[in-house]
Amino acid sequence: MRIIKVATDDGNAYYDIVSRLKRTHLRFFSISPGEAVDSVQDLVLTSRREVHAFEGEAVAIEDLNEDSLIMEGQLLSRLLEDSRRNLLIGIDPGSRIGMAMFYGGRELGALTENSAEKLVDLLVMLAKEVPHSSLSVKIGAGEPRSSLRLARLSREKLPPSASIEIVDESGTSAGKRGEIGAIRDQRAAARIAFRKGVQFSDLVRSRRTPG
């Protein structure tokens, strides 16, 4: 995988870049702007004013999303081969919704949200801002009403190419004793993401077909 290198003479830009990178799971190195870079191996992160001074691929921090999770996906898209840009989402429905996000086999992050609409809006932004070769959303079936609502909202707002599955979530909520609810929901969502389910479109079709 290519290496992220931070290079800028702008003190404010350097602070912005480093502080935002520290909120991601990405490793990076700082170099001086005059230091040689490998156009094949290095991905330089700099300011928009300085981006044209570097050979190869350089990225301006101003062009990246301010949300650290989405920014991490945007940077990973430049580090991974096209075939590995798979966006995988696991959702654990309920009064408090857990969500875990994976990109290219790496965890982007996990969160909890009380609003189905806000969670799906985040999914839409993720799909829009992070280049991907495939998008798969897995939704646990433990709370049918909440699961179907999330699936319908996702189907309405996400691209037609997105795969939306309803997944048997039996055993996914088992966690360590003392684990707080939000963390437990996020871990359940991560387990749901890697289970095989039923396509939401097939489920809708089977319910419309007379028995």
Side-chain angles (χ1 to χ4, degrees), residues 51-185:
V51 73
H52 298 296
F54 297 92
E55 295 181 2
E57 190 171 10
V59 180
I61 188 65
E62 296 92 339
D63 294 334
L64 297 173
N65 196 287
E66 293 189 3
D67 184 289
S68 58
L69 188 151
I70 294 176
M71 185 186 85
E72 182 170 348
Q74 291 175 323
L75 288 172
L76 276 174
S77 74
R78 296 172 180 268
L79 300 173
L80 299 171
E81 297 177 358
D82 290 354
S83 61
R84 295 188 59 200
R85 295 177 182 173
N86 305 310
L87 194 53
L88 174 63
I89 313 294
I91 300 176
D92 181 35
S95 57
R96 182 183 55 231
I97 309 166
M99 182 164 74
M101 294 145 282
F102 299 86
Y103 186 65
R106 297 171 55 126
E107 183 175 356
L108 273 184
L111 54 84
T112 54
E113 176 59 67
N114 294 326
S115 166
E117 288 81 3
K118 288 183 179 179
L119 183 135
V120 173
D121 285 345
L122 175 59
L123 275 182
V124 171
M125 183 178 292
L126 196 64
K128 179 181 178 182
E129 297 284 341
V130 178
H132 54 275
S133 54
S134 68
L135 170 58
S136 181
V137 179
K138 309 284 188 73
I139 303 172
E143 296 198 18
R145 182 177 296 181
S146 178
S147 299
L148 292 175
R149 182 160 180 261
L150 281 162
R152 289 192 186 98
L153 284 171
S154 299
R155 184 69 289 160
E156 289 170 4
K157 295 188 175 184
L158 290 174
S161 58
S163 168
I164 300 173
E165 297 180 29
I166 303 296
V167 176
D168 178 3
E169 61 177 77
S170 301
T172 59
S173 295
K176 296 179 180 178
R177 184 173 298 178
E179 203 169 54
I180 62 174
I183 299 299
R184 187 165 56 246
D185 294 335

Side-chain angles (χ1 to χ4, degrees), residues 17-36:
I17 294 169
V18 171
S19 61
R20 289 171 63 180
L21 281 173
K22 285 182 177 179
R23 294 196 292 269
T24 72
H25 301 91
L26 299 170
R27 294 182 60 191
F28 64 93
F29 300 92
S30 296
I31 63 172
S32 64
E35 191 173 330

